[in-house]
């Protein structure tokens, strides 16, 4: 399947950080499931899928999140769908973690003879290439960076369907993690908030995009 370049660019020009949505309009279930599927199909380092996606539709829970999420004051009450992206902590992302072995053995279906070799490869990557074993925080940030790949794919897919979105980082992570732990049963030793994203349909005109010219950000080596 091929989508022409003008269709892609038109979708990217349509997309903007929509701050408030039409509360009366709901994204069709089939389209939102497709958006979630683009997250599931997104690439991740070594294919470890270090994420979880919480679809928050309960309005009481949204209101509780709104009290601490200063970056979603208007989108939390009005979005058709609201998603919290979680990233795995060092507990699950270290090269010899049981979660890593679960992915390699049960999802990737690697033969037993290859598992130790793959673990050694990942250890070298984490230890020497990216210095991720210097701290637990670095391992979490590595996982969190990958959730942004899924985030970008979700927003692009939404834009291609004429659906608005807004990525959100405006929140204190400790307060949000506490709500996820207490109200959603999230094990925050294993998973913590990375970012959020709201989806729906705009009610206000799209502001003009302000971006640097391409030649200011691209350097070519022909």
């Amino acid at each position: 399947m091929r989508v022409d370049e003008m269709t892609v660019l038109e979708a990217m020009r349509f997309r903007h950080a929509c701050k408030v949505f039409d509360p009366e309009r709901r994204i069709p279930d089939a389209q939102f499931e497709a958006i979630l599927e683009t997250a599931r199909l997104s690439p991740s380092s070594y294919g470890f899928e270090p994420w979880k996606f919480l679809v928050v539709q309960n309005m009481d829970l949204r209101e509780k999140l709104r009290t601490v999420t200063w970056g979603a004051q208007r989108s939390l009450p009005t979005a058709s769908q609201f998603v919290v992206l979680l990233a795995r902590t060092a507990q699950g992302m270290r090269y010899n973690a049981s979660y890593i072995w679960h992915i390699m053995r049960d999802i990737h279906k690697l033969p037993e003879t290859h598992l130790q070799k793959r673990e050694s490869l990942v250890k070298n990557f984490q230890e020497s290439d990216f210095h991720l074993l210097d701290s637990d925080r670095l391992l979490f940030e590595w996982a969190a960076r990958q959730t942004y790949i899924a985030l970008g794919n979700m927003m692009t897919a939404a834009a291609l369907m004429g659906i608005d979105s807004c990525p959100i980082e405006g929140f204190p992570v400790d307060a949000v993690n506490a709500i996820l732990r207490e109200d959603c049963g999230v094990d925050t030793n294993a998973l913590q908030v990375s970012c959020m994203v709201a989806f729906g349909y705009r009610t206000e005109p799209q502001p003009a995009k302000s971006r640097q010219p391409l030649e200011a950000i691209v350097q070519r080596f022909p």
Side-chain angles (χ1 to χ4, degrees):
M1 179 180 177
R2 182 182 183 276
V3 177
D4 68 83
E5 62 274 15
M6 293 309 298
T7 300
V8 174
L9 291 176
E10 182 180 351
M12 296 308 295
R13 292 177 181 125
F14 164 85
R15 193 219 63 79
H16 75 292
C18 185
K19 303 299 185 184
V20 61
F21 301 89
D22 183 347
E24 302 301 320
R25 293 188 66 188
R26 180 178 172 81
I27 299 168
D29 290 344
Q31 289 189 321
F32 187 67
E33 288 302 308
I35 290 170
L36 292 176
E37 184 69 357
T38 65
R40 188 183 75 88
L41 294 173
S42 294
S44 57
S45 186
Y46 288 93
F48 286 150
E49 304 176 43
W51 46 50
K52 192 168 184 177
F53 307 93
L54 304 183
V55 182
V56 181
Q57 298 303 88
N58 182 282
M59 295 309 292
D60 290 336
L61 179 55
R62 284 201 197 183
E63 177 57 24
K64 193 163 187 178
L65 285 170
R66 193 185 69 81
T67 63
V68 299
T69 306
W70 52 265
Q73 289 296 293
R74 296 199 294 167
S75 59
L76 267 164
T78 61
S80 174
Q81 275 85 4
F82 194 88
V83 182
V84 179
L85 287 78
L86 307 180
R88 292 195 174 271
T89 64
Q91 172 181 300
M93 295 309 295
R94 199 173 301 276
Y95 64 90
N96 57 355
S98 59
Y99 174 77
I100 297 297
W101 273 73
H102 158 64
I103 293 292
M104 294 191 301
R105 176 182 283 127
D106 303 324
I107 305 302
H108 296 165
K109 308 292 186 184
L110 291 178
E112 293 294 324
T113 54
H114 285 59
L115 290 172
Q116 290 290 349
K117 291 180 180 178
R118 179 59 62 90
E119 181 190 281
S120 179
L121 180 67
V122 176
K123 179 184 178 183
N124 185 70
F125 169 79
Q126 291 185 345
E127 187 174 57
S128 302
D129 293 342
F130 270 54
H131 306 291
L132 298 174
L133 301 185
D134 291 355
S135 74
D136 286 354
R137 181 68 189 182
L138 286 172
L139 280 168
F140 171 75
E141 292 293 348
W142 175 53
R145 287 198 301 271
Q146 295 169 65
T147 68
Y148 281 74
I149 301 173
L151 172 68
N153 286 341
M154 292 169 76
M155 292 192 300
T156 299
L160 284 164
M161 291 184 277
I163 296 168
D164 289 296
S165 63
C166 184
I168 297 154
E169 285 186 321
F171 54 85
V173 293
D174 291 341
V176 170
N177 282 329
I179 292 172
L180 299 179
R181 182 171 57 249
E182 295 163 9
D183 292 76
C184 303
V186 173
D187 178 3
T188 51
N189 291 316
L191 290 156
Q192 296 185 7
V193 63
S194 169
C195 56
M196 304 174 181
V197 59
F199 295 99
Y201 299 97
R202 70 188 68 180
T203 60
E204 300 174 353
Q206 178 175 332
K209 283 190 182 293
S210 56
R211 297 290 192 276
Q212 297 181 75
L214 194 64
E215 57 269 22
I217 62 169
V218 175
Q219 187 172 1
R220 306 176 194 269
F221 296 89

